[in-house]
Amino acid sequence: MSQQPKSHESASDTHHGHSLGHEAGHGSFKGYITGFVLSVILTAVPFWLVMGNVFDNPTLTAFFIMAFAVVQIVVHMIYFLHMNMESEGGWTMMALIFTIVIVAIALSGSLWVMHHLNSNMMPMSPEMMRNMP
Amino acid sequence: MSDTNVQEMEKPEFYLREEHHPEESTMIGFWLYLMSDCLIFAVLFATHAVLGRNYAAGPSPADLFDLQLVAINTAMLLFSSITYGFAMLEMERGRQKSTLVWLAITGVFGAIFIGLELYEFIHLIHEGAGPSRSAFLSSFFTLVGTHGLHVTFGLVWLVTLMVQVSIHGLIPANRRRLMCLSMFWHFLDVVWIGVFSFVYLMGVLG
């Protein structure tokens, strides 16, 4: 019983600390510089991979491009958009996770369905092409 | 533990766990708007992913895209992101003049980005690779054009806020608006990561 009010107090204390810590919500000079340097590296490497024809295997290059893009998006989220678990009582993170789920379904679903549709289409002969409306 | 202590504790106390933050409720609302905007871009990305290989015997990305131009464009947007960050830091310190200077620099980078993108579009259309040439080009122009339109409106918003700040100063309302634009601007940079990775680099890769 004697524990309850104390924990309440500390919970509201930490909350207060977060809402007061406005610098955390806006980022710091160091944070922006870190994010910028990371972004420059994460942008330059995929461009270099493609423009310099570093790998002979395009699939490998594509894999690296995707990996770097995902990491850079996370870097931007953390250092520029200042995402964290605590902001707005976690609701920004919930909205983000929900959006990521929807985006993943929309992207993978479209690709999956349209790929099957494509491979089940009747191939078009040059004659059919010529007589197309 | 004495009786009086227990009674004291059982006195009903109502805690307002969350404080009233009118400006922060704007932030969550704006974040939800950005998430819905993210869905618009997701649909356009999906369209491009499906149609991006349908060239209709026309030019392919490797024939059309100038990666050096795209790299410069990407750099412009990245620079504008960090300069906007500096503007926000100056706003935190309450320095109106340097906030305006950083905002102006951000605007210049954004304007260069839009200028280069328009140059690219006009160049493509001149080469006969307009949006009506193939499904690939239709989806390309829709996706990249939508992003460009967002940046354009971001620039309009930026100029509006610069006027607001220079007239009214860094009042709470203007700070809130600048924070919303900050989220918008960085969000557009995030979308651009997707564009240069999946549309340009993967496209040229074939």
Side-chain angles (χ1 to χ4, degrees):
Chain A
M1 203 59 216
S2 65
Q3 282 294 324
Q4 192 105 10
K6 204 170 182 184
S7 67
H8 256 291
E9 205 174 289
S10 66
S12 67
D13 257 8
T14 49
H15 182 83
H16 200 70
H18 277 299
S19 52
L20 273 186
H22 265 299
E23 295 90 69
H26 294 185
S28 58
F29 181 76
K30 208 179 143 201
Y32 278 115
I33 291 293
T34 314
F36 181 70
V37 170
L38 284 175
S39 304
V40 168
I41 296 167
L42 291 167
T43 305
V45 171
F47 268 98
W48 169 68
L49 286 180
V50 174
M51 290 166 92
N53 285 320
V54 177
F55 299 125
D56 290 330
N57 186 356
T59 320
L60 189 66
T61 317
F63 171 77
F64 272 105
I65 293 172
M66 275 197 268
F68 275 100
V70 170
V71 174
Q72 198 183 348
I73 287 173
V74 173
V75 165
H76 273 245
M77 286 280 174
I78 293 172
Y79 289 104
F80 291 159
L81 281 165
H82 314 304
M83 280 301 292
N84 56 50
M85 303 299 277
E86 282 92 24
S87 62
E88 309 290 340
W91 284 108
T92 48
M93 187 54 86
M94 288 306 279
L96 179 67
I97 291 169
F98 176 72
T99 312
I100 290 171
V101 170
I102 298 286
V103 167
I105 292 172
L107 283 176
S108 57
S110 308
L111 282 172
W112 185 27
V113 169
M114 296 311 283
H115 174 74
H116 278 263
L117 195 66
N118 253 346
S119 42
N120 289 331
M121 281 283 269
M122 223 163 64
M124 226 184 215
S125 63
E127 290 82 49
M128 288 163 86
M129 276 279 227
R130 229 171 286 133
N131 297 329
M132 254 187 8
Chain B
M1 186 154 293
S2 68
D3 263 354
T4 53
N5 206 355
V6 170
Q7 266 182 349
E8 233 170 60
M9 271 160 194
E10 281 176 355
K11 241 193 296 178
E13 275 188 69
F14 299 103
Y15 287 94
L16 249 184
R17 296 290 294 276
E18 293 181 36
E19 290 159 47
H20 293 290
H21 286 299
E23 68 259 48
E24 288 195 7
S25 66
T26 306
M27 290 299 123
I28 180 100
F30 196 76
W31 180 254
L32 291 182
Y33 155 69
L34 286 184
M35 290 297 99
S36 65
D37 220 9
C38 191
L39 294 183
I40 293 179
F41 280 110
V43 170
L44 293 176
F45 271 110
T47 312
H48 188 76
V50 168
L51 298 175
R53 300 266 181 269
N54 300 354
Y55 306 132
S60 72
D63 306 327
L64 291 176
F65 294 156
D66 178 7
L67 279 188
Q68 270 169 355
L69 193 73
V70 181
I72 296 170
N73 241 353
T74 307
M76 289 304 122
L77 216 51
L78 209 52
F79 281 135
S80 79
S81 251
I82 184 87
T83 54
Y84 201 103
F86 291 155
M88 291 302 284
L89 291 176
E90 291 303 305
M91 182 196 85
E92 283 293 291
R93 294 193 193 112
R95 295 187 203 149
Q96 184 179 333
K97 213 169 188 180
S98 49
T99 307
L100 283 173
V101 169
W102 282 117
L103 286 179
I105 296 170
T106 309
V108 169
F109 280 130
I112 296 173
F113 173 84
I114 288 297
L116 287 174
E117 196 165 282
L118 280 179
Y119 164 78
E120 188 196 16
F121 279 8
I122 290 166
H123 182 69
L124 286 179
I125 292 169
H126 255 277
E127 280 188 333
S132 54
R133 178 64 191 84
S134 62
F136 148 62
L137 282 164
S138 303
S139 61
F140 165 78
F141 273 94
T142 314
L143 172 56
V144 182
T146 306
H147 179 268
L149 264 183
H150 274 78
V151 178
T152 311
F153 280 106
L155 281 177
V156 173
W157 191 0
L158 186 84
V159 172
T160 314
L161 280 188
M162 281 173 68
V163 174
Q164 290 266 20
V165 169
S166 53
I167 293 175
H168 301 291
L170 291 169
I171 54 173
N174 277 343
R175 284 166 185 262
R176 190 185 67 227
R177 291 165 186 150
L178 282 170
M179 276 168 68
C180 283
L181 181 57
S182 164
M183 286 162 83
F184 186 70
W185 199 261
H186 293 309
F187 167 75
L188 289 182
D189 208 2
V190 171
V191 174
W192 183 254
I193 298 169
V195 173
F196 82 73
S197 301
F198 294 101
V199 176
Y200 286 102
L201 292 179
M202 303 274 261
V204 169
L205 217 54

